[in-house]
DNA sequence: TCTACGATCTTT
DNA sequence: AAGATCGTAGAT
């Protein structure tokens, strides 16, 4: 039975508690696959992510220490870090670990679960994988921009992260678009995707069972 | 101030 | 293959 005041969510799924996020970034990244992102009537299932593991990770925005842009990354886990890329695209990250760690997980692709009409409107009529495969596309479909910086995903209202079916098989591979990082960090298999999903961004080459 | 460029996407 | 488009970070 639902208690008074408890929110009814898509398919009865529950918001994840703060402690879900305050763990090792690679563990959280993997477990984010299959979880639901909800914003109003739009519900997406996460199909692809990348882990950015703090200032020692030369691919991470936190590599240069705390700045105005990356400030949300240094906060406690469970909040959003949204930044503008190439002057055009909003990138949604989920902050992980404890306050001061500077780690986050980039949401790279999702599949639609609910609100397809809204998604289609926001994506200019697109509804196949080209609508949600790619980090800029995910934020656009969810209706998220930088005003959602620091937004807590474990609280009711706005954007929420809900439980979802655990992934069956996971693919791993090197992260995309980080040629500025050291060669060893470029090679780290910190990109995770749901095996067999059509809703995975390019390039798909380099993803292997893991 | 000035400059270079980016965890990308769309169109040609 | 190249253009869009602008905030950020580091240099001046």
């Amino acid at each position: 039975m639902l208690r008074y005041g408890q929110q009814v969510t898509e398919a009865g799924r529950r918001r994840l508690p703060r402690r879900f996020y305050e763990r090792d970034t690679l563990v959280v990244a993997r477990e984010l696959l299959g979880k639901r992102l909800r914003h109003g009537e739009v519900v997406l299932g996460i199909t692809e992510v990348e882990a950015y593991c703090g200032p020692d990770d030369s691919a991470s925005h936190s590599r240069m220490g705390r700045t105005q842009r990356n400030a949300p990354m240094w906060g406690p886990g469970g909040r959003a870090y949204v930044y503008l890329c190439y002057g055009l695209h909003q990138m949604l990250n989920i902050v992980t670990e404890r306050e001061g760690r500077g780690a986050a997980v980039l949401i790279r692709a999702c599949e639609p679960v609910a609100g397809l009409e809204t998604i289609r409107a926001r994506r200019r009529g697109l509804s196949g994988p080209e609508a949600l495969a790619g980090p800029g596309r995910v934020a656009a479909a969810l209706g998220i921009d930088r005003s959602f910086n620091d937004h807590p995903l474990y609280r009711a209202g706005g954007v929420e992260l809900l439980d979802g079916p655990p992934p069956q098989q996971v693919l791993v591979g090197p992260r995309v678009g980080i040629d500025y990082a050291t060669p060893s960090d470029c090679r780290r298999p910190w990109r995770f995707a749901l095996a067999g999903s059509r809703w995975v961004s390019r390039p798909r080459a380099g993803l292997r069972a893991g």
Side-chain angles (χ1 to χ4, degrees):
Chain A
M1 264 317 250
L2 286 173
R3 285 175 305 172
Y4 177 79
Q6 192 169 359
Q7 280 235 329
V8 178
T9 58
E10 174 267 334
R13 298 194 181 280
R14 287 193 354 160
R15 268 177 287 116
L16 294 178
R18 292 174 65 154
R19 62 180 177 276
F20 170 83
Y21 307 93
E22 302 214 314
R23 297 179 297 153
D24 180 84
T25 302
L26 296 178
V27 171
V28 177
R30 217 174 244 273
E31 292 188 17
L32 277 171
L33 295 175
K35 300 289 189 289
R36 311 304 206 203
L37 277 167
R38 184 171 85 100
H39 186 204
E41 70 217 16
V42 174
V43 181
L44 306 180
I46 299 174
T47 54
E48 181 188 345
V49 300
E50 279 174 1
Y52 289 88
C53 296
D56 295 334
D57 174 4
S58 65
S60 172
H61 282 181
S62 57
R63 67 189 180 279
M64 66 284 272
R66 189 188 182 108
T67 66
Q68 189 166 12
R69 176 177 68 161
N70 70 24
M73 284 188 87
W74 301 88
R79 291 168 177 264
Y81 166 46
V82 187
Y83 71 93
L84 186 66
C85 189
Y86 290 97
L88 298 160
H89 310 295
Q90 314 283 335
M91 308 289 242
L92 171 62
N93 293 255
I94 297 177
V95 177
T96 58
E97 305 196 27
R98 306 224 171 209
E99 185 162 10
R101 296 300 303 256
V105 175
L106 171 68
I107 308 301
R108 285 197 59 86
C110 290
E111 61 186 355
V113 172
L116 195 58
E117 286 313 307
T118 303
I119 293 169
R120 196 176 276 136
R122 289 175 176 159
R123 294 290 299 124
R124 306 204 268 151
L126 300 178
S127 58
E130 68 277 13
L132 289 169
R137 295 164 170 183
V138 168
L142 257 189
I144 285 195
D145 59 29
R146 283 170 296 165
S147 69
F148 285 81
N149 248 332
D150 267 327
H151 182 86
L153 301 166
Y154 47 81
R155 219 174 275 160
V159 184
E160 304 170 357
L161 187 75
L162 312 178
D163 204 356
Q168 301 289 328
Q169 205 181 359
V170 175
L171 303 179
V172 304
R175 294 171 291 179
V176 179
I178 55 161
D179 291 346
Y180 53 83
T182 64
S184 57
D185 282 339
C186 281
R187 279 187 241 110
R188 299 197 193 286
W190 289 352
R191 179 189 185 197
F192 303 92
L194 280 184
S197 176
R198 300 169 60 218
W199 307 82
V200 170
S201 73
R202 292 168 177 274
R204 298 179 78 145
L207 288 171
R208 305 183 63 95

